[in-house]
Amino acid sequence: MGISELWSQLGSIMASIMFVYAMYEQFFPYHLRGYVKKYTHKFTGLMYPYVQISFSEFSGERLKKSEAYTWIQTYLSANSSKRAKRLKAEVVKDSNTPLVLSMDDNEEITDEYEGVKLWWSSTYTVPKSQSISWFPHSDEKRFLTLTFHKRYRDLITSSYIQHVLNEGKAISIQNRTLKLYTNNPSNDWYGYKRTKWSHITFEHPARFDTLAMDPKKKEEIVNDLVKFRSGKEYYAKIGKAWKRGYLLFGPPGTGKSSMIAAMANFMNYDVYDLELTAVKENTELRKLLIETSSKSIIVIEDIDCSIDLTGQRKKKKEKEKDEDEEQQQPKNPVKKAEEEEKKESKVTLSGLLNFIDGIWSACGGERIIIFTTNFVEKLDPALIRRGRMDKHIEMSYCGFEAFKILAKNYLDVVDESHSLFPKIEKLLGETNMTPADVAENLMPKSLVEDSDTCLKNLVESLEEAKKKAEEEAKKKAEEEKVKVENEKEELAKVEEVNANEKSVEGVKENGTIH
Ligand SMILES: Nc1ncnc2c1ncn2[C@@H]1O[C@H](COP(=O)(O)OP(=O)(O)OP(=O)(O)O)[C@@H](O)[C@H]1O
Ligand SMILES: [Mg+2]
């Protein structure tokens, strides 16, 4: 038989199989298919000497991507690129292995363990409903299926699978690049992207070495983080979820965001930057939380501005006052639209508290939650009580110790006997300058500026800031003086009027006017 004849025979066999399958799908009663499947499996089971184990991409009703699936996929990627014929390629920027090759959908490869041959296949099932859509269907499923001879059941289930998971996890950690996530608006969750978080590679260069702050305070924070990282058993022993909350507060430019980046780099944790205004309600908040991985930092920046949490507790009177004011003075339409948008978010204080330490917050473990704010006094005490925000860290204006770190980092000046240092120390004690401003002054503005010039620039800026602060203080004192004098005058006038009224009443009571 020639090749072409063989092909045509094969073609007709395939066509017949497809025809039978189509007839089965079309006409065989749906409720009887379960029985057919069951008995077909039973029958083939007698003849078929292999065992199959499937690992699904999602666990727990599609709530979360299965870690086992990810690790097996990583293990197979490391092995499959040499053997599989159809591969998927993904370019991962700045990773240790920039081009990641993995087994394509519906492809199979073999593996060997202690002389035993096994097969891994990747299955992709399309949805049953035939509706046409641009977006992936929510019932799409991916599996990795392991097939092996039933003779090796014990070996495979007791040791091979664990070996694959361990190897995959180790490779994942080795190839890991930190990621910076941001939450997608919930309208996109079921659309084309179908993800709640989008990410890019986290590349912030801040480290604890580069952070300008009191060294003792810095050491305390580093020790706290180290203790947290190795605290798995301890947290289990005391019955607390393995997570820790930090509240970073202080004026703008004092290094709160830099501190978060330094923490992420130090801990080797991913960062989830949660934009609360894009979250419509508490249930969405919970779904976002479940999709975060362990070994991560969840950040809510400027918590006082992100959402009107205190609004829920506004007294009725205040609300009425606001409404009255609005009636008298209609708001600028842009501002009004912004406020309306904020109002659309129905995340409440209790929803946020639940997010931080409700039952769901324990899923996954090993997580740090950080809030930042410029105005700590504006926050609801319930939100920042110890236990929720375990450690409160004040990021303050630049002191001399912090300045020395900046001088070392920006100018390589480590000599503390530098002639300008005492002057700078005195000026820093007398003025409030943020580390961001000090750093800006220390940065050479041209190629010819040396460290001495930069330090002189800083001294000038500090003196200017001091002068400005003094002038402002003087102006304020004068305004205060004028205010007090005005109040005194007002009081004197009122007293004079009262005295006059009293004397008129006295005359009336005596009854006669001469
Ligand atoms: N403590 C610091 N140590 C080193 N650099 C700092 C420090 N504080 C600020 N800077 C510098 O100033 C810039 C701004 O700082 P950062 O964004 O961390 O301030 P922030 O406190 O988060 O401000 P905001 O409240 O406005 O968000 C940083 O990029 C960094 O270069
Ligand atoms: Mg910031």
Side-chain angles (χ1 to χ4, degrees):
M1 197 189 312
I3 277 280
S4 56
E5 261 177 86
L6 188 71
W7 273 116
S8 83
Q9 293 255 347
L10 212 60
S12 55
I13 292 171
M14 287 300 290
S16 315
I17 292 173
M18 281 168 76
F19 177 75
V20 171
Y21 183 72
M23 289 298 110
Y24 169 78
E25 283 280 305
Q26 195 72 37
F27 299 113
F28 203 81
Y30 188 79
H31 63 280
L32 292 181
R33 284 187 207 170
Y35 291 106
V36 172
K37 255 190 193 165
K38 186 176 156 191
Y39 289 108
T40 321
H41 281 168
K42 244 185 180 173
F43 176 71
T44 47
L46 292 173
M47 326 279 290
Y48 187 70
Y50 295 97
V51 178
Q52 288 194 328
I53 302 177
S54 289
F55 297 85
S56 173
E57 185 179 11
F58 286 94
S59 61
E61 299 295 326
R62 302 189 65 85
L63 280 179
K64 197 169 187 283
K65 194 161 180 176
S66 150
E67 276 189 332
Y69 182 93
T70 313
W71 290 334
I72 296 169
Q73 208 181 25
T74 312
Y75 169 85
L76 293 176
S77 297
N79 291 288
S80 66
S81 53
K82 292 166 215 141
R83 277 170 263 153
K85 288 196 179 138
R86 283 187 304 113
L87 296 158
K88 261 194 301 201
E90 197 185 345
V91 179
V92 184
K93 201 179 149 215
D94 289 344
S95 158
N96 298 346
T97 48
L99 186 67
V100 177
L101 294 173
S102 61
M103 197 173 25
D104 203 355
D105 291 329
N106 303 321
E107 176 67 331
E108 189 182 81
I109 58 157
T110 52
D111 193 17
E112 212 172 293
Y113 182 69
E114 296 190 1
V116 176
K117 196 173 177 189
L118 336 103
W119 294 263
W120 280 103
S121 57
S122 62
T123 319
Y124 168 65
T125 60
V126 278
K128 289 229 160 44
S129 57
Q130 294 300 310
S131 63
I132 297 167
S133 163
W134 293 107
F135 305 125
H137 294 262
S138 60
D139 50 348
E140 282 177 355
K141 287 191 180 90
R142 279 195 165 81
F143 297 97
L144 286 166
T145 308
L146 171 64
T147 309
F148 54 91
H149 198 284
K150 61 184 177 190
R151 195 182 312 147
Y152 306 114
R153 184 189 283 265
D154 283 349
L155 176 75
I156 304 301
T157 53
S158 64
S159 105
Y160 172 72
I161 293 177
Q162 198 53 50
H163 158 78
V164 171
L165 294 176
N166 291 346
E167 286 263 311
K169 191 175 173 185
I171 300 167
S172 302
I173 292 170
Q174 200 187 343
N175 291 343
R176 187 175 151 92
T177 48
L178 294 191
K179 295 191 183 93
L180 172 62
Y181 292 86
T182 185
N183 49 314
N184 299 327
S186 55
N187 307 347
D188 292 356
W189 290 6
Y190 306 101
Y192 174 66
K193 284 191 197 155
R194 234 183 42 172
T195 53
K196 297 183 181 60
W197 296 94
S198 300
H199 72 263
I200 53 164
T201 307
F202 179 76
E203 294 175 309
H204 203 295
R207 283 171 288 109
F208 275 106
D209 293 346
T210 63
L211 257 192
M213 65 186 291
D214 180 21
K216 271 191 208 146
K217 216 162 142 187
K218 199 192 286 188
E219 199 187 333
E220 197 187 308
I221 297 166
V222 171
N223 289 342
D224 197 79
L225 289 169
V226 170
K227 201 169 145 219
F228 172 76
R229 184 162 53 191
S230 54
K232 190 176 180 182
E233 273 91 37
Y234 176 72
Y235 277 85
K237 186 178 139 227
I238 60 170
K240 248 183 111 174
W242 189 14
K243 63 189 174 61
R244 195 150 175 83
Y246 291 93
L247 171 72
L248 304 182
F249 64 98
T254 47
K256 297 178 293 299
S257 303
S258 310
M259 165 71 86
I260 296 169
M263 282 179 166
N265 284 327
F266 178 72
M267 300 291 275
N268 211 19
Y269 283 5
D270 292 331
V271 177
Y272 288 86
D273 189 2
L274 179 61
E275 180 52 56
L276 262 191
T277 46
V279 184
K280 286 210 186 98
E281 50 195 27
N282 295 340
T283 46
E284 286 187 10
L285 203 55
R286 196 174 299 155
K287 283 178 190 159
L288 284 166
L289 175 70
I290 295 164
E291 288 247 335
T292 59
S293 59
S294 69
K295 291 190 185 293
S296 62
I297 300 180
I298 302 171
V299 179
I300 305 181
E301 288 250 43
D302 298 316
I303 180 87
D304 51 304
C305 312
S306 350
I307 206 154
D308 185 18
L309 292 169
T310 45
Q312 331 282 335
R313 299 188 164 198
K314 244 188 192 179
K315 286 179 202 142
K316 212 179 155 204
K317 257 190 183 171
E318 275 180 54
K319 270 191 183 169
E320 281 167 6
K321 200 178 135 206
D322 284 355
E323 279 164 14
D324 282 353
E325 271 175 15
E326 205 185 325
Q327 269 182 0
Q328 285 164 11
Q329 221 179 30
K331 275 185 188 149
N332 155 355
V334 177
K335 210 173 166 195
K336 204 171 168 187
E338 268 173 17
E339 281 182 11
E340 286 298 318
E341 202 170 288
K342 253 191 192 179
K343 263 188 215 161
E344 229 181 62
S345 169
K346 289 192 199 108
V347 174
T348 60
L349 179 65
S350 80
L352 194 59
L353 300 184
N354 249 323
F355 175 80
I356 308 164
D357 65 358
I359 301 174
W360 290 86
S361 69
C363 311
E366 201 175 353
R367 261 182 299 215
I368 288 176
I369 297 176
I370 303 182
F371 288 171
T372 74
T373 180
N374 294 143
F375 308 98
V376 69
E377 62 285 349
K378 270 197 194 172
L379 301 180
D380 195 302
L383 193 61
I384 55 169
R385 72 147 167 79
R386 307 285 158 155
R388 282 206 178 99
M389 289 294 113
D390 304 280
K391 204 165 168 55
H392 296 190
I393 302 169
E394 180 174 8
M395 302 299 289
S396 48
Y397 292 109
C398 192
F400 186 57
E401 291 302 319
F403 157 75
K404 284 196 279 188
I405 296 170
L406 290 174
K408 181 173 163 239
N409 290 336
Y410 280 72
L411 305 171
D412 292 321
V413 175
V414 281
D415 180 13
E416 286 185 29
S417 59
H418 192 287
S419 60
L420 285 174
F421 271 33
K423 199 168 187 181
I424 292 174
E425 182 173 11
K426 189 166 173 282
L427 283 166
L428 283 173
E430 292 165 348
T431 44
N432 284 340
M433 189 176 268
T434 61
D437 286 336
V438 173
E440 184 54 34
N441 278 300
L442 291 183
M443 208 127 91
K445 307 288 173 301
S446 68
L447 289 175
V448 289
E449 269 194 1
D450 61 359
S451 56
D452 283 350
T453 321
C454 293
L455 287 170
K456 271 183 208 149
N457 289 344
L458 174 65
V459 170
E460 271 171 29
S461 287
L462 281 167
E463 278 170 343
E464 217 170 279
K466 187 183 161 194
K467 209 170 133 199
K468 211 170 156 190
E470 279 170 356
E471 276 170 12
E472 266 173 24
K474 208 171 146 192
K475 202 173 145 198
K476 218 174 169 188
E478 270 168 18
E479 278 172 7
E480 195 64 30
K481 203 174 147 194
V482 171
K483 203 174 146 196
V484 170
E485 272 169 13
N486 285 346
E487 275 174 5
K488 263 189 194 168
E489 262 178 40
E490 287 282 316
L491 201 71
K493 271 185 198 163
V494 171
E495 276 173 0
E496 199 182 298
V497 172
N498 284 347
N500 284 346
E501 278 177 1
K502 262 188 189 166
S503 70
V504 172
E505 272 171 22
V507 170
K508 274 185 186 166
E509 271 169 24
N510 289 337
T512 47
I513 299 173
H514 299 285

